[in-house]
Amino acid sequence: VQLQASGGGLAQPGGSLRLSCAASGRIYSINSMGWYRQAPGNQRELVAGITSGIITNYAESVKGRFTISKDIAKNTMYLQMNRLKPEDTGVYYCMMNIELYGFAEHDYWGQGTLVTVSS
């Protein structure tokens, strides 16, 4: 399984970015999904998560600004980030809990995409 994240870059405060994460491989099912970020000097933290259904959860710092969504047919999830702040800067990682054919479920991680919010 490979998770390919994209969409990071430089944005001004108040701007928007949209991250994507696509999974490929012999996937039987995708359970929970999530976006994490790691700012310089900080631990990796959960930004947004979504269950195998439609239940979402967000870090307090991004509630009302970020929206997580998914397209199961494409094995892809997204993170729409609006009203960006400098403190949103960091490397964003996607994670999917995936069950492959004949194997138990396992957490898989993308390579990370850098988001920089600066004027």
Side-chain angles (χ1 to χ4, degrees):
V1 172
Q2 283 193 329
L3 269 61
Q4 182 68 44
S6 60
L10 176 64
Q12 291 189 338
S16 298
L17 286 172
R18 188 190 195 211
L19 306 183
S20 299
C21 178
S24 59
R26 296 190 71 247
I27 297 170
Y28 175 71
S29 67
I30 299 178
N31 302 313
S32 59
M33 301 175 172
W35 286 98
Y36 293 73
R37 72 182 174 199
Q38 187 165 18
N42 291 352
Q43 291 187 330
R44 192 175 299 187
E45 61 174 352
L46 176 66
V47 174
I50 186 166
T51 66
S52 58
I54 59 171
I55 298 174
T56 58
N57 63 289
Y58 297 93
E60 283 296 326
S61 60
V62 306
K63 279 184 179 178
R65 300 188 297 121
F66 289 11
T67 303
I68 187 171
S69 62
K70 62 183 179 179
D71 184 337
I72 288 298
K74 296 181 179 179
N75 291 334
T76 300
M77 71 170 172
Y78 307 95
L79 185 68
Q80 179 66 44
M81 305 186 293
N82 298 328
R83 304 201 311 272
L84 284 163
K85 302 177 181 180
E87 51 263 44
D88 294 321
T89 294
V91 178
Y92 284 67
Y93 297 90
C94 57
M95 186 283 296
M96 296 186 187
N97 182 267
I98 296 174
E99 183 178 346
L100 302 178
Y101 285 96
F103 294 88
E105 60 188 45
H106 181 75
D107 289 345
Y108 293 88
W109 292 85
Q111 83 282 10
T113 184
L114 177 63
V115 171
T116 303
V117 183
S118 174
S119 56

Short mmCIF file of all heavy atoms in Angstrom, two decimals, residues 28-62:
data_model
loop_
_atom_site.label_atom_id
_atom_site.label_comp_id
_atom_site.label_asym_id
_atom_site.label_seq_id
_atom_site.Cartn_x
_atom_site.Cartn_y
_atom_site.Cartn_z
N TYR A 28 -8.82 -3.90 0.53
CA TYR A 28 -10.13 -4.50 0.75
C TYR A 28 -11.09 -3.48 1.34
O TYR A 28 -12.21 -3.34 0.87
CB TYR A 28 -10.01 -5.71 1.67
CG TYR A 28 -11.34 -6.32 2.03
CD1 TYR A 28 -12.07 -7.03 1.09
CD2 TYR A 28 -11.86 -6.20 3.32
CE1 TYR A 28 -13.28 -7.60 1.41
CE2 TYR A 28 -13.09 -6.76 3.65
CZ TYR A 28 -13.79 -7.46 2.69
OH TYR A 28 -14.99 -8.01 3.01
N SER A 29 -10.63 -2.77 2.35
CA SER A 29 -11.46 -1.73 2.93
C SER A 29 -10.57 -0.70 3.63
O SER A 29 -9.45 -1.01 4.05
CB SER A 29 -12.45 -2.30 3.94
OG SER A 29 -11.78 -2.82 5.07
N ILE A 30 -11.09 0.52 3.71
CA ILE A 30 -10.43 1.59 4.44
C ILE A 30 -11.32 1.96 5.62
O ILE A 30 -12.49 2.27 5.43
CB ILE A 30 -10.16 2.81 3.57
CG1 ILE A 30 -9.23 2.43 2.40
CG2 ILE A 30 -9.50 3.92 4.40
CD1 ILE A 30 -8.94 3.57 1.45
N ASN A 31 -10.76 1.92 6.78
CA ASN A 31 -11.53 2.21 7.98
C ASN A 31 -11.35 3.69 8.34
O ASN A 31 -11.71 4.55 7.56
CB ASN A 31 -11.13 1.27 9.09
CG ASN A 31 -11.34 -0.19 8.68
OD1 ASN A 31 -12.38 -0.56 8.14
ND2 ASN A 31 -10.31 -1.01 8.88
N SER A 32 -10.75 3.99 9.42
CA SER A 32 -10.58 5.39 9.80
C SER A 32 -9.48 6.06 8.99
O SER A 32 -8.57 5.40 8.46
CB SER A 32 -10.25 5.51 11.29
OG SER A 32 -9.07 4.81 11.58
N MET A 33 -9.59 7.36 8.87
CA MET A 33 -8.61 8.17 8.16
C MET A 33 -8.31 9.40 9.00
O MET A 33 -9.17 9.85 9.77
CB MET A 33 -9.15 8.63 6.80
CG MET A 33 -9.56 7.55 5.86
SD MET A 33 -10.31 8.34 4.38
CE MET A 33 -10.50 6.93 3.31
N GLY A 34 -7.14 9.96 8.80
CA GLY A 34 -6.85 11.17 9.56
C GLY A 34 -5.72 11.97 8.97
O GLY A 34 -4.89 11.45 8.22
N TRP A 35 -5.73 13.23 9.29
CA TRP A 35 -4.64 14.14 8.94
C TRP A 35 -3.94 14.55 10.23
O TRP A 35 -4.60 14.94 11.21
CB TRP A 35 -5.16 15.38 8.22
CG TRP A 35 -5.58 15.14 6.82
CD1 TRP A 35 -6.85 14.94 6.36
CD2 TRP A 35 -4.74 15.09 5.67
NE1 TRP A 35 -6.84 14.75 5.00
CE2 TRP A 35 -5.56 14.85 4.56
CE3 TRP A 35 -3.36 15.24 5.47
CZ2 TRP A 35 -5.05 14.73 3.26
CZ3 TRP A 35 -2.86 15.14 4.19
CH2 TRP A 35 -3.70 14.88 3.10
N TYR A 36 -2.63 14.48 10.21
CA TYR A 36 -1.82 14.87 11.35
C TYR A 36 -0.84 15.94 10.89
O TYR A 36 -0.53 16.02 9.70
CB TYR A 36 -1.03 13.68 11.89
CG TYR A 36 -1.87 12.60 12.52
CD1 TYR A 36 -2.65 11.76 11.73
CD2 TYR A 36 -1.89 12.40 13.90
CE1 TYR A 36 -3.43 10.76 12.31
CE2 TYR A 36 -2.66 11.40 14.48
CZ TYR A 36 -3.44 10.59 13.68
OH TYR A 36 -4.20 9.61 14.25
N ARG A 37 -0.36 16.73 11.81
CA ARG A 37 0.67 17.68 11.44
C ARG A 37 1.73 17.72 12.52
O ARG A 37 1.48 17.44 13.69
CB ARG A 37 0.11 19.08 11.22
CG ARG A 37 -0.33 19.82 12.47
CD ARG A 37 -0.91 21.16 12.12
NE ARG A 37 -1.46 21.83 13.31
CZ ARG A 37 -2.35 22.82 13.25
NH1 ARG A 37 -2.76 23.26 12.07
NH2 ARG A 37 -2.80 23.36 14.36
N GLN A 38 2.92 18.09 12.07
CA GLN A 38 4.05 18.21 12.98
C GLN A 38 4.75 19.52 12.69
O GLN A 38 5.31 19.72 11.61
CB GLN A 38 5.02 17.05 12.82
CG GLN A 38 6.13 17.03 13.85
CD GLN A 38 6.85 15.70 13.90
OE1 GLN A 38 6.77 14.90 12.96
NE2 GLN A 38 7.55 15.44 14.99
N ALA A 39 4.67 20.43 13.65
CA ALA A 39 5.35 21.70 13.54
C ALA A 39 6.77 21.53 14.06
O ALA A 39 7.05 20.63 14.86
CB ALA A 39 4.60 22.76 14.35
N PRO A 40 7.68 22.39 13.62
CA PRO A 40 9.08 22.29 14.09
C PRO A 40 9.17 22.30 15.61
O PRO A 40 8.61 23.17 16.26
CB PRO A 40 9.73 23.53 13.48
CG PRO A 40 8.92 23.84 12.28
CD PRO A 40 7.50 23.48 12.65
N GLY A 41 9.84 21.30 16.15
CA GLY A 41 10.03 21.22 17.59
C GLY A 41 8.86 20.64 18.35
O GLY A 41 8.93 20.52 19.58
N ASN A 42 7.79 20.29 17.63
CA ASN A 42 6.60 19.76 18.29
C ASN A 42 6.37 18.31 17.92
O ASN A 42 6.91 17.80 16.93
CB ASN A 42 5.37 20.58 17.92
CG ASN A 42 5.40 21.97 18.51
OD1 ASN A 42 6.26 22.30 19.32
ND2 ASN A 42 4.46 22.79 18.09
N GLN A 43 5.54 17.66 18.72
CA GLN A 43 5.15 16.30 18.39
C GLN A 43 4.05 16.31 17.32
O GLN A 43 3.36 17.31 17.13
CB GLN A 43 4.64 15.58 19.65
CG GLN A 43 5.72 15.30 20.67
CD GLN A 43 5.21 14.45 21.81
OE1 GLN A 43 4.04 14.50 22.18
NE2 GLN A 43 6.08 13.63 22.39
N ARG A 44 3.93 15.19 16.66
CA ARG A 44 2.87 15.04 15.67
C ARG A 44 1.53 15.04 16.39
O ARG A 44 1.36 14.37 17.41
CB ARG A 44 3.06 13.75 14.88
CG ARG A 44 2.19 13.63 13.65
CD ARG A 44 2.55 12.38 12.86
NE ARG A 44 3.93 12.38 12.40
CZ ARG A 44 4.41 11.46 11.57
NH1 ARG A 44 3.63 10.46 11.15
NH2 ARG A 44 5.66 11.52 11.18
N GLU A 45 0.56 15.78 15.84
CA GLU A 45 -0.75 15.87 16.47
C GLU A 45 -1.84 15.63 15.44
O GLU A 45 -1.68 15.93 14.26
CB GLU A 45 -0.95 17.26 17.10
CG GLU A 45 -0.90 18.40 16.10
CD GLU A 45 -1.24 19.75 16.71
OE1 GLU A 45 -1.66 19.81 17.87
OE2 GLU A 45 -1.10 20.76 15.98
N LEU A 46 -2.96 15.11 15.94
CA LEU A 46 -4.11 14.89 15.08
C LEU A 46 -4.77 16.23 14.77
O LEU A 46 -5.09 17.00 15.67
CB LEU A 46 -5.11 13.96 15.75
CG LEU A 46 -6.41 13.72 14.99
CD1 LEU A 46 -6.15 12.95 13.70
CD2 LEU A 46 -7.41 12.96 15.86
N VAL A 47 -5.00 16.48 13.50
CA VAL A 47 -5.68 17.70 13.07
C VAL A 47 -7.15 17.40 12.80
O VAL A 47 -8.04 18.13 13.25
CB VAL A 47 -5.02 18.27 11.80
CG1 VAL A 47 -5.81 19.45 11.26
CG2 VAL A 47 -3.58 18.68 12.10
N ALA A 48 -7.40 16.33 12.06
CA ALA A 48 -8.77 15.97 11.71
C ALA A 48 -8.84 14.48 11.43
O ALA A 48 -7.90 13.91 10.89
CB ALA A 48 -9.25 16.77 10.50
N GLY A 49 -9.97 13.88 11.78
CA GLY A 49 -10.16 12.47 11.53
C GLY A 49 -11.56 12.20 11.02
O GLY A 49 -12.48 13.01 11.24
N ILE A 50 -11.72 11.08 10.34
CA ILE A 50 -13.03 10.69 9.84
C ILE A 50 -13.13 9.18 9.93
O ILE A 50 -12.18 8.45 9.61
CB ILE A 50 -13.27 11.19 8.40
CG1 ILE A 50 -14.70 10.90 7.95
CG2 ILE A 50 -12.25 10.61 7.43
CD1 ILE A 50 -15.10 11.67 6.68
N THR A 51 -14.26 8.69 10.38
CA THR A 51 -14.46 7.25 10.55
C THR A 51 -14.81 6.59 9.21
O THR A 51 -14.89 7.26 8.18
CB THR A 51 -15.59 7.00 11.55
OG1 THR A 51 -16.83 7.46 10.99
CG2 THR A 51 -15.33 7.72 12.87
N SER A 52 -15.05 5.30 9.29
CA SER A 52 -15.47 4.59 8.08
C SER A 52 -16.84 5.06 7.62
O SER A 52 -17.21 4.86 6.46
CB SER A 52 -15.50 3.08 8.33
OG SER A 52 -16.37 2.78 9.42
N GLY A 53 -17.58 5.68 8.51
CA GLY A 53 -18.85 6.30 8.15
C GLY A 53 -18.61 7.75 7.79
O GLY A 53 -17.80 8.07 6.93
N ILE A 54 -19.29 8.63 8.51
CA ILE A 54 -19.14 10.05 8.21
C ILE A 54 -18.87 10.88 9.45
O ILE A 54 -18.94 12.10 9.42
CB ILE A 54 -20.40 10.61 7.49
CG1 ILE A 54 -21.63 10.39 8.39
CG2 ILE A 54 -20.57 9.98 6.13
CD1 ILE A 54 -22.87 11.08 7.88
N ILE A 55 -18.53 10.22 10.53
CA ILE A 55 -18.25 10.96 11.76
C ILE A 55 -16.86 11.57 11.69
O ILE A 55 -15.88 10.88 11.38
CB ILE A 55 -18.36 10.03 12.99
CG1 ILE A 55 -19.79 9.49 13.11
CG2 ILE A 55 -17.96 10.79 14.26
CD1 ILE A 55 -19.95 8.46 14.20
N THR A 56 -16.81 12.86 11.95
CA THR A 56 -15.54 13.58 11.89
C THR A 56 -15.19 14.14 13.26
O THR A 56 -16.06 14.34 14.12
CB THR A 56 -15.62 14.73 10.89
OG1 THR A 56 -16.69 15.62 11.26
CG2 THR A 56 -15.88 14.22 9.48
N ASN A 57 -13.92 14.38 13.46
CA ASN A 57 -13.47 15.07 14.67
C ASN A 57 -12.30 15.96 14.30
O ASN A 57 -11.55 15.66 13.36
CB ASN A 57 -13.09 14.08 15.77
CG ASN A 57 -11.92 13.19 15.41
OD1 ASN A 57 -12.05 12.30 14.57
ND2 ASN A 57 -10.77 13.43 16.02
N TYR A 58 -12.17 17.06 15.03
CA TYR A 58 -11.17 18.06 14.71
C TYR A 58 -10.46 18.52 15.97
O TYR A 58 -11.04 18.56 17.06
CB TYR A 58 -11.83 19.28 14.05
CG TYR A 58 -12.48 18.99 12.73
CD1 TYR A 58 -13.83 18.65 12.66
CD2 TYR A 58 -11.75 19.05 11.54
CE1 TYR A 58 -14.43 18.38 11.45
CE2 TYR A 58 -12.35 18.78 10.32
CZ TYR A 58 -13.68 18.45 10.29
OH TYR A 58 -14.28 18.17 9.08
N ALA A 59 -9.22 18.91 15.80
CA ALA A 59 -8.51 19.59 16.87
C ALA A 59 -9.21 20.92 17.13
O ALA A 59 -9.72 21.56 16.19
CB ALA A 59 -7.05 19.82 16.49
N GLU A 60 -9.22 21.35 18.37
CA GLU A 60 -9.89 22.61 18.71
C GLU A 60 -9.36 23.78 17.90
O GLU A 60 -10.12 24.68 17.52
CB GLU A 60 -9.73 22.89 20.20
CG GLU A 60 -10.63 22.06 21.11
CD GLU A 60 -12.10 22.33 20.91
OE1 GLU A 60 -12.46 23.50 20.61
OE2 GLU A 60 -12.89 21.40 21.05
N SER A 61 -8.09 23.75 17.62
CA SER A 61 -7.45 24.88 16.95
C SER A 61 -7.89 25.04 15.50
O SER A 61 -7.66 26.12 14.91
CB SER A 61 -5.93 24.73 17.01
OG SER A 61 -5.52 23.54 16.36
N VAL A 62 -8.49 24.00 14.91
CA VAL A 62 -8.86 24.09 13.50
C VAL A 62 -10.37 24.01 13.27
O VAL A 62 -10.83 24.14 12.14
CB VAL A 62 -8.17 23.00 12.66
CG1 VAL A 62 -6.65 23.04 12.88
CG2 VAL A 62 -8.73 21.62 12.95
#
